[in-house]
Amino acid sequence: MTDSVEIRRGVYHDSVTLMQVSQQVRTAPGVHDALIGMGTELNLGLMREVGFQVPEEAGPNDLVIALRGEDEDALAAGQDKLVAVLAELHERSRATGSTTEVAPRTIGSAARRAPGGIALISTPGQYAVLDALDAVNAGLSVMLFSDNVPLADEVALKDAAAAKDVLVMGPDCGTAVVGGAALGFANVVRPGRIGLVAASGTGAQQVMTLLDLAGEGISHCLGLGGRDLSSDVGGRSARQALKALAADEATEHVVIVSKPAAAEVVTELEQLAAELGVPVSWATLGRGLPDLTAAVEQTLTAVGAQAPTWPSWGPTEPRPSSAPSAGDALRGLYCGGTLADEAMILAEEALGPISSNIPLQGAPQVSGHDTLTGHVVIDFGDDELTQGRAHPMIDPSLRLERIRQQGEDPTCGVLLLDLVLGHGAHQDPAGELAEAVRAAREAAANRGGDLPVVVALVGTESDPQGLQDCARVLSTAGAHVFTSNAEAVRAALSHLAAPAETASTPTSTPSSILETGRTDR
């Protein structure tokens, strides 16, 4: 194995772009690893952890390119791929209107040259608040993609935004749709009368896509970051977002989407919505609360629409009736943290506490790198599993390997997965996932077992990947495919040796939310 490390001084690309570049360079022949990023302390540490010899003089203003290949030819192939990908990005930038003018060095100076409404910031978390404050002071709302922003900085930033009457979406905000423009990970949904205020990325995508399937459209989806509805942050951005949607002529109804939220924050937002005259529905996860699908159905009723039968697809070949019983453990391998939370909340009613790297309160904590035993749900988008690599919706390789391994484990009774489509996600996620599903099921068959696979497919027909095409590819590989994550979880439970009782969908009021002990995204 051969390594190369190159430093390009004064060259900058944002972190999301570099994650995508790294993922593409890894596809070059003979390349085993590619870590391409700005020379921040975090990135340099990750490169050194996996064995790259990075020169001490590398700094945060430098682009660092670390490649590992079978031989020198592989490294050359990686360099060629890098040149091609960067050239493609340059051409794309020119096509969208970039000029030869010297680029502005701050967001504030960019705003003075060409006034806009929103700044999208994805610089490393420890630096992001300075860029965000610069944008807020320039009168811009902010979508702050960066994570690892200190809590105190988040509160100060959101107070500054309120004083300027602009909105901060984030930190750790990955999904927004503003006036039909998708920012970050977002689906292509029809325009309409329902606005979303979302402290949950994949939760918002589930709600948006189900509303789209029901024929309802979105005015805006305003992300908040996963901590906004906690006691510490106190719903600062949620209040700004509610006021913005109340003033928006296209918005007739608002859905607030969140992981478990602080009860006092929910009460305050209910009071604010009443003062603003904005009808609000809640899609807030928690024990004893409606799941996201039930919350969408309640929203449809509130706006005078009817919930459809949510589409699903079965495998093209029926499961053999003589198939030996599989194991008795649920294995959920998710890309979406909120979808993983929902799966655990529903599954624990039938199975008891579910082990996870993002466990519910009272459930066992495991590492996503551990060998899986018993009932387990893993969030591959958690920070633990995205150190030095892109989010699994961009780079699914780590999850695909774990899926294949489950086929060799006789204790695995059913495999529960998600697949989230839309802008920002992998271009062909269903093809690679179907290949892994097929390999896992073949491995189970080779040891004389059977492995049911259930997939929650979150997307629309207008997404770049196409809902129907993805569903067809997955069902052909033997997966049962559902557009509702809640229905997928219940279908997965039905495959276990001791079928679970179907979870009920109580209709508790938002104020009765039960804390599960986590507020992270």
Side-chain angles (χ1 to χ4, degrees):
M1 204 70 68
T2 303
D3 290 358
S4 74
V5 178
E6 178 188 357
I7 298 174
R8 297 186 181 180
R9 298 203 178 279
V11 176
Y12 174 78
H13 295 282
D14 69 84
S15 60
V16 176
T17 295
L18 291 177
M19 287 178 183
Q20 294 172 327
V21 170
S22 297
Q23 197 272 333
Q24 292 189 54
V25 171
R26 289 190 193 107
T27 66
V31 171
H32 286 241
D33 205 355
L35 294 177
I36 303 168
M38 301 305 296
T40 62
E41 184 178 349
L42 174 62
N43 286 338
L44 297 180
L46 291 169
M47 291 174 184
R48 288 171 177 136
E49 280 182 12
V50 296
F52 285 110
Q53 300 299 314
V54 183
E56 292 296 331
E57 61 265 29
N61 294 321
D62 303 326
L63 177 66
V64 182
I65 301 162
L67 302 179
R68 177 167 294 151
E70 293 176 355
D71 49 31
E72 293 295 337
D73 290 341
L75 294 182
Q79 289 286 356
D80 290 344
K81 186 72 174 180
L82 174 65
V83 170
V85 173
L86 290 177
E88 181 184 352
L89 290 173
H90 179 67
E91 286 303 314
R92 195 183 307 167
S93 177
R94 290 183 51 159
T96 54
S98 294
T99 70
T100 56
E101 184 181 358
V102 175
R105 292 189 176 275
T106 68
I107 292 175
S109 65
R112 287 190 290 275
R113 290 189 193 185
I118 296 177
L120 198 162
I121 297 171
S122 62
T123 48
Q126 63 266 47
Y127 313 113
V129 70
L130 295 177
D131 288 329
L133 279 170
D134 189 26
V136 166
N137 289 332
L140 302 179
S141 290
V142 171
M143 178 174 174
L144 189 52
F145 193 87
S146 313
D147 57 7
N148 295 310
V149 174
L151 178 63
D153 286 348
E154 178 178 350
V155 171
L157 177 61
K158 291 184 172 181
D159 283 343
K164 288 279 188 180
D165 197 24
V166 294
L167 173 67
V168 170
M169 296 183 283
D172 204 9
C173 176
T175 298
V177 178
V178 181
L183 304 176
F185 298 114
N187 300 94
V188 182
V189 293
R190 68 189 78 204
R193 56 179 169 167
I194 299 177
L196 269 62
V197 174
S200 158
T202 51
Q205 291 189 266
Q206 171 78 102
V207 170
M208 277 193 288
T209 55
L210 290 180
L211 288 172
D212 187 87
L213 287 168
E216 286 292 333
I218 299 299
S219 58
H220 311 277
C221 173
L222 305 179
L224 305 175
R227 296 188 299 212
D228 194 75
L229 299 188
S230 67
S231 297
D232 292 328
V233 182
R236 284 169 162 80
S237 284
R239 293 198 295 268
Q240 290 295 105
L242 264 180
K243 292 174 184 175
L245 292 178
D248 177 51
E249 293 183 355
T251 303
E252 298 178 9
H253 191 97
V254 173
V255 183
I256 299 181
V257 188
S258 178
K259 289 184 177 183
E264 71 274 15
V265 177
V266 172
T267 299
E268 183 182 338
L269 292 176
E270 288 178 312
Q271 293 171 347
L272 176 61
E275 293 170 5
L276 295 171
V278 181
V280 169
S281 297
W282 292 83
T284 309
L285 285 181
R287 290 164 170 149
L289 292 176
D291 57 61
L292 295 178
T293 302
V296 168
E297 291 169 350
Q298 291 175 1
T299 298
L300 291 169
T301 300
V303 300
Q306 190 168 6
T309 298
W310 305 113
S312 63
W313 298 261
T316 54
E317 296 181 3
R319 182 188 181 194
S321 58
S322 59
S325 176
D328 58 3
L330 170 72
R331 301 287 162 72
L333 305 181
Y334 274 81
C335 294
T338 299
L339 301 177
D341 270 334
E342 183 177 52
M344 290 188 287
I345 291 169
L346 294 173
E348 73 173 5
E349 294 184 22
L351 304 175
I354 308 296
S355 300
S356 177
N357 60 338
I358 56 164
L360 301 178
Q361 189 174 42
Q365 169 99 41
V366 298
S367 167
H369 297 290
D370 290 345
T371 299
L372 305 184
T373 58
H375 304 303
V376 185
V377 171
I378 297 295
D379 171 21
F380 280 80
D382 186 58
D383 290 349
E384 174 200 22
L385 298 177
T386 56
Q387 294 285 324
R389 62 171 62 242
H391 191 278
M393 285 164 58
I394 298 173
D395 176 9
S397 56
L398 186 61
R399 185 175 77 139
L400 295 177
E401 180 57 29
R402 299 301 292 273
I403 290 171
R404 295 186 183 96
Q405 291 173 3
Q406 294 310 299
E408 301 170 355
D409 182 352
T411 70
C412 179
V414 62
L415 195 51
L416 175 62
L417 311 169
D418 65 347
L419 186 65
V420 184
L421 310 181
H423 289 299
H426 193 284
Q427 294 179 344
D428 180 26
E432 294 193 3
L433 183 59
E435 183 180 334
V437 166
R438 192 176 286 110
R441 298 187 76 242
E442 288 177 357
N446 289 339
R447 59 174 170 74
D450 180 44
L451 179 58
V453 179
V454 180
V455 178
L457 180 60
V458 176
T460 72
E461 196 54 40
S462 299
D463 282 330
Q465 303 88 350
L467 181 70
Q468 294 277 349
D469 285 346
C470 290
R472 176 182 51 77
V473 169
L474 291 169
S475 60
T476 300
H480 299 253
V481 183
F482 295 82
T483 47
S484 156
N485 183 53
E487 290 188 358
V489 175
R490 294 185 179 109
L493 293 174
S494 72
H495 282 285
L496 294 180
E501 295 180 3
T502 301
S504 61
T505 54
T507 55
S508 307
T509 61
S511 299
S512 67
I513 286 171
L514 301 179
E515 294 281 7
T516 61
R518 290 190 300 104
T519 55
D520 54 323
R521 184 171 184 275

